Amino acid sequence: MPRGEVICDRMDCFSFPYVTKKLPATTLERIYFVGYTISTLGMGSYSPQGSVWQIATAIASVNGFFLVTLAIAYLLPVVSAATEQRQLAVYISSLGGTADEILVRAWNGKDFGQFDQHLIALTPMLAQQGERHLTYPILHYFHSIERSRSIKLSLVALDEALTILDYGIKPSHQPDPAALGAARRASAAYLKTLKSTYLKPASENPPLPSLERLRRQGIPTVSDRQFWDATKHVTKRRRLLLALIHNDGWVWDAIGSSQTTNRATPLDDQTTIDKVILH
């Protein structure tokens, strides 16, 4: 081939001795150049002409670098936070799927045994979830189709159990006040976080938990009238719980009572896992 002959008319095509024609880029080529630059892979097969476009290219490269770095730095903690949410949901579900079941499972015939230790362990986890939702608002839109892994259902069931413990159980049989109070305040802090961001109380009151099943298990409770009067001041709190469940696509019956539903059943030993006998 004779020297100096051009074998194509773009700057990424070579001639001998490497002569190129600087032709204006087409629309598709400009899109390619911008994408290549922002992705911090370089400039591809094209180069900007003129000082203004060279400076603009440098700015785009820097923006692309920060965009990719921040996306990775944000994505990993969000995935970790979502995993922690499911972990907390399963933890609470393992204690019980509904408020009355949580308390019945904890009752040992005389008192609530080591349930206060669970409350102590749950308190920092609840506080952390509230702060996570402030830091990563996208967590509001993480949902689980598996009821035992739904953080919203688990938190509402736990909060209702704490309401029963605080106002429906006779004081002499309640768990340690420090553990109960701390867990209840941590749950309230979580609800305040959601209320300050996107959650509004429901327009109706959810049904008050029944104490009848607890009485049948021998758990000392106050009268229904006393329970009703004592819980009047937590009406707004319970409306937030109802709104939280509705926002996640569930209805109140999902945590209403173990007589009508049981979210923890899939976690029991009697339940086969994918119909495979393990023992």
Side-chain angles (χ1 to χ4, degrees):
M1 181 178 293
R3 290 179 59 84
E5 182 179 349
V6 179
I7 61 176
C8 66
D9 58 357
R10 292 293 172 193
M11 64 173 296
D12 57 330
C13 303
F14 299 101
S15 64
F16 298 91
Y18 303 110
V19 177
T20 61
K21 289 185 177 181
K22 298 181 179 180
L23 299 179
T26 65
T27 300
L28 290 178
E29 290 168 344
R30 292 176 183 179
I31 294 174
Y32 164 80
F33 173 76
V34 172
Y36 212 86
T37 302
I38 292 178
S39 63
T40 69
L41 296 175
M43 293 183 294
S45 304
Y46 304 93
S47 62
Q49 299 300 310
S51 301
V52 174
W53 294 112
Q54 289 173 348
I55 294 174
T57 300
I59 294 174
S61 297
V62 173
N63 285 339
F65 174 78
F66 281 108
L67 179 64
V68 172
T69 303
L70 289 176
I72 296 175
Y74 186 83
L75 180 61
L76 293 179
V78 168
V79 172
S80 176
T83 302
E84 290 174 357
Q85 271 198 163
R86 293 194 299 271
Q87 177 186 359
L88 177 58
V90 173
Y91 182 4
I92 297 174
S93 295
S94 68
L95 298 177
T98 61
D100 55 357
E101 186 187 16
I102 290 175
L103 300 184
V104 168
R105 283 175 176 255
W107 182 254
N108 61 13
K110 299 182 301 181
D111 53 33
F112 290 99
Q114 300 299 312
F115 186 65
D116 54 351
Q117 298 302 314
H118 287 293
L119 296 180
I120 292 172
L122 285 168
T123 297
M125 299 174 72
L126 291 171
Q128 184 186 54
Q129 284 304 310
E131 295 305 310
R132 293 280 194 188
H133 276 262
L134 280 178
T135 307
Y136 308 113
I138 194 174
L139 291 175
H140 301 329
Y141 307 101
F142 278 73
H143 306 281
S144 176
I145 61 175
E146 189 175 346
R147 296 197 303 167
S148 62
R149 296 179 183 272
S150 172
I151 186 64
K152 308 295 176 58
L153 293 181
S154 292
L155 288 174
V156 173
L158 177 64
D159 197 87
E160 286 288 277
L162 297 180
T163 296
I164 296 176
L165 280 174
D166 215 356
Y167 304 108
I169 305 299
K170 291 185 177 180
S172 58
H173 291 82
Q174 291 179 357
D176 181 73
L180 176 58
R184 189 154 180 81
R185 285 189 290 271
S187 181
Y190 176 84
L191 290 174
K192 285 184 178 180
T193 298
L194 299 185
K195 181 177 180 295
S196 65
T197 52
Y198 80 110
L199 192 66
K200 294 182 179 180
S203 57
E204 57 182 344
N205 296 331
L208 201 63
S210 173
L211 303 179
E212 189 58 36
R213 187 190 177 199
L214 304 183
R215 295 184 183 120
R216 291 201 301 267
Q217 296 296 323
I219 301 177
T221 67
V222 300
S223 67
D224 290 338
R225 183 64 186 179
Q226 288 176 307
F227 186 47
W228 174 271
D229 292 337
T231 54
K232 285 182 179 179
H233 71 286
V234 295
T235 298
K236 187 174 182 180
R237 178 188 185 123
R238 301 187 68 247
R239 286 187 177 186
L240 278 174
L241 297 177
L242 178 59
L244 185 61
I245 284 186
H246 287 171
N247 182 265
D248 206 44
W250 302 96
V251 295
W252 188 259
D253 286 345
I255 57 92
S257 172
S258 57
Q259 293 178 333
T260 57
T261 184
N262 192 333
R263 293 192 312 110
T265 296
L267 304 178
D268 290 335
D269 290 340
Q270 295 85 351
T271 305
T272 58
I273 301 176
D274 293 335
K275 299 181 180 180
V276 175
I277 300 177
L278 301 180
H279 303 293

